[in-house]
Amino acid sequence: MNGSQELEMSTVLECQSKIPVDLFLHVSLIPAVLIVSVLSFLQIREQPLAIDHHLPFLRGRFAIVVPMDMISSLSNRWSYGFAFGAVSSNVLLLFSERYVPFTVPPWARAIVYLIGALEIGLVYFPFFACLSTPFRGPGAVLGIVYSLAWIIVIVWDTFTCPHGEIFGRYEKIIVQWPCLFSLIFLLGRFVYILVKDIRIRLWKEQEELEDLNKHPNMQHVKRLLRKTPVDSQQLSWFQRRVYLWDPYFKFPNRIIGTAILSIIGLYIMTLADYILSTAIFDQAEMWKNQLEHLVMCNETRALEALIPKLEEFIDVARKCWLATTIFASLNSVAYTFHILACYRKHLRRLWKGQKRFIPEKFHKPRAATSVASIARYSGWQIAFTLWGYLIVHFVHFLFALLFVYVLVLPIQHDKVLQMLSSLGLILLTIGLVVGLVIVQIVLVQIFFLQDKMSPTDKEKPLALNNRKAFHCFNYFFFFYNVVMGFSNCIMRLLCSLIVGTWLVSRIDRTIMQRGYEGMDAGYSTWIGMIFADHYHNNPVMVCFCHLLVTNKLERLTVSAYSTFDNMPSECPVYSKTRRRWMLFYTLLKNPHLIPFRKHHLSSSSLLQMSSSPQSDMVVRAWFMASQTQRGQAMSQMSPEDTVTPEENS
């Protein structure tokens, strides 16, 4: 056994002499900067700067490259999510000592973490930038090259040296496969983008323009304006109790990326937890064997009775920790998906104007706090999820030990009667406390409340009866309630501790008492984020603002032409009416073109009429004629081809 461990350690040391992934992480800064520079050169700034006057040959190039829209974008959501998945392994590398090849003093660790976070953000910036850039062809080519380089390095490092220091054999294969899968997904996505761009350039495929009628916000508004059906479909048990799917609600890129990175982080954390706990329990057994050998040599009777109990505790603790690892992992994964459901539920409540589920002090959050919460949420949610897993796992472990030592071991050791007597004493004490609380309520209900004012009332009114007897009742129960208050105070503290630790990873709920919610930084971040998303992504507000902007642009660009060009095919009569209306609109705006017509009046008379009050009569005449011909055309059209007055105007 020692020989195999030495062979494994020598293999690990040999693998460390090769090019590791963390070294490639530092080297890849150079191609990452080059890719970002190329994408920045391709983009043109919307507003010129002072440097453009000194360097006119740049023509406004080297604009800011945006990695992703974390507020309102709904495109490439899963691609951005797997881009976050590609970062997962190196995010946890920040907390390891091998990230920095040299020793760092303890006071400088915070600075090292900041520099490391900036470095990882810059190294993985090309994945996000190549997805978000409007230049699809060059972005796809650069994304293919960069992702292929990362895949080759990770595959080479994983399969040539699969061993590790923490997980032992096949450590890198177990740890790196989520990152590798994410990179392969990104490679396929970049290839798809490149092929599609080539087909569009070769005129074999048309570019897909965003259809606002199919946008989720537009569909949500249409559903609001649609009448509710009389016979609605009955919801299934899963839809009523677990989750009700909404086809018109889309999670933004930030939420999907956070969920994927949280799940991958939980996977790595669970593996590390299992391996490290196994090593700790093996070390505990080794210490137990050494203690047993010491007792046998010294013949110490005092410690001899302790060895079986220690051996039993190590065995029970190992099994309880393994069982609770599974439950804690499932609990954390369920919390991750439950937070997604709460995000949708809270946003939909805000869209309806309901704020009762939020403490009153958060009803009007500060603008700066809400915008900063968007930047904080993803990192804090991942950290809360990982810390919550460890804390919940420890709580589960304590409950499992309590269950085994109270119920399981007494049964195995044939101490059932002793166990039942102890449980009976505990349950009897709790029963008496709860029973006396219920007795007080029942006595007050029967003797010390006035009768119902109406037979239809469900409960008696809050009005005292038999006041003298109530004062005596209150006096004698005063002393007992003091004693009972001690136990209830302990129970209140334990319940608060258990619920608080159980919900520590739930950032959508506060673990503070009412009135102290502001001290919960995680909950404040959640409230600020959903308010920011509400103000920027409310479907009704977005559609209303889109209508305002569209109408303004139509007025500035002569909406008549754009309106008529966007109309579907119509019948010949209506087409003739449309052409005449366009002709009149052109001549009204450009009267100097009238003399150049084939059938025209004298130029002076027409110009005089166009500047006289009679021009209004001409406009009305043309409008009435167009409306008459339009009525004839509408009578020959089907109901589906009918154009609304707003579209005709």
Side-chain angles (χ1 to χ4, degrees), residues 448 466-479:
F448 303 120
N466 299 324
R467 287 176 175 266
K468 293 183 178 181
F470 175 74
H471 293 326
C472 296
F473 168 83
N474 193 13
Y475 173 78
F476 285 106
F477 269 97
F478 169 79
F479 303 101

Side-chain angles (χ1 to χ4, degrees), residues 319-567:
K319 293 179 180 179
C320 289
W321 188 268
L322 177 60
T324 52
T325 300
I326 301 173
F327 287 105
S329 301
L330 295 177
N331 183 76
S332 299
V333 172
Y335 275 172
T336 302
F337 289 106
H338 185 71
I339 288 173
L340 294 179
C342 289
Y343 174 81
R344 192 194 70 168
K345 179 175 64 175
H346 290 176
L347 270 187
R348 292 179 66 177
R349 287 179 179 177
L350 290 178
W351 291 350
K352 296 178 182 179
Q354 300 175 358
K355 298 182 181 180
R356 290 176 296 178
F357 67 98
I358 298 174
E360 188 175 358
K361 64 171 63 178
F362 292 107
H363 282 187
K364 292 183 179 180
R366 295 178 54 191
T369 304
S370 297
V371 175
S373 298
I374 295 179
R376 291 199 307 261
Y377 168 72
S378 297
W380 284 29
Q381 179 64 73
I382 295 168
F384 276 46
T385 301
L386 298 182
W387 267 115
Y389 163 76
L390 294 177
I391 295 173
V392 170
H393 188 190
F394 185 73
V395 173
H396 286 182
F397 173 69
L398 293 181
F399 276 104
L401 283 180
L402 182 64
F403 175 78
V404 171
Y405 274 94
V406 171
L407 292 178
V408 178
L409 290 182
I411 295 175
Q412 291 182 351
H413 296 161
D414 295 332
K415 297 181 180 180
V416 180
L417 295 178
Q418 183 180 356
M419 177 198 69
L420 291 178
S421 62
S422 302
L423 284 179
L425 181 61
I426 296 173
L427 294 177
L428 180 61
T429 305
I430 296 175
L432 286 175
V433 172
V434 175
L436 286 173
V437 172
I438 297 175
V439 165
Q440 294 182 47
I441 298 175
V442 172
L443 290 176
V444 170
Q445 177 73 20
I446 296 174
F447 299 106
F448 303 120
L449 287 180
Q450 296 181 10
D451 295 334
K452 296 181 180 179
M453 301 178 64
S454 174
T456 58
D457 293 343
K458 294 182 179 180
E459 294 182 357
K460 292 183 177 182
L462 186 57
L464 282 176
N465 191 14
N466 299 324
R467 287 176 175 266
K468 293 183 178 181
F470 175 74
H471 293 326
C472 296
F473 168 83
N474 193 13
Y475 173 78
F476 285 106
F477 269 97
F478 169 79
F479 303 101
Y480 175 75
N481 287 330
V482 171
V483 179
M484 191 172 60
F486 282 101
S487 59
N488 283 331
C489 180
I490 301 299
M491 289 298 298
R492 180 190 182 192
L493 180 62
L494 289 177
C495 292
S496 177
L497 181 63
I498 293 172
V499 174
T501 53
W502 206 292
L503 300 177
V504 68
S505 60
R506 289 281 302 276
I507 199 171
D508 61 303
R509 282 182 175 270
T510 180
I511 59 175
M512 298 294 177
Q513 300 289 337
R514 179 179 296 179
Y516 298 92
E517 296 91 352
M519 298 177 63
D520 192 344
Y523 184 68
S524 301
T525 300
W526 172 267
I527 295 298
M529 181 201 63
I530 62 174
F531 265 101
D533 286 345
H534 165 60
Y535 284 124
H536 287 82
N537 299 325
N538 191 314
V540 178
M541 290 193 292
V542 169
C543 292
F544 177 72
C545 294
H546 175 73
L547 290 176
L548 293 180
V549 173
T550 304
N551 292 336
K552 183 178 180 180
L553 293 176
E554 286 180 353
R555 293 192 190 99
L556 295 176
T557 58
V558 189
S559 61
Y561 296 100
S562 60
T563 303
F564 288 123
D565 292 339
N566 291 332
M567 282 186 177

Side-chain angles (χ1 to χ4, degrees), residues 18-19 151-161:
K18 299 181 181 179
I19 300 178
I151 290 174
I152 292 173
V153 170
I154 291 179
V155 169
W156 176 263
D157 182 70
T158 301
F159 287 96
T160 56
C161 181

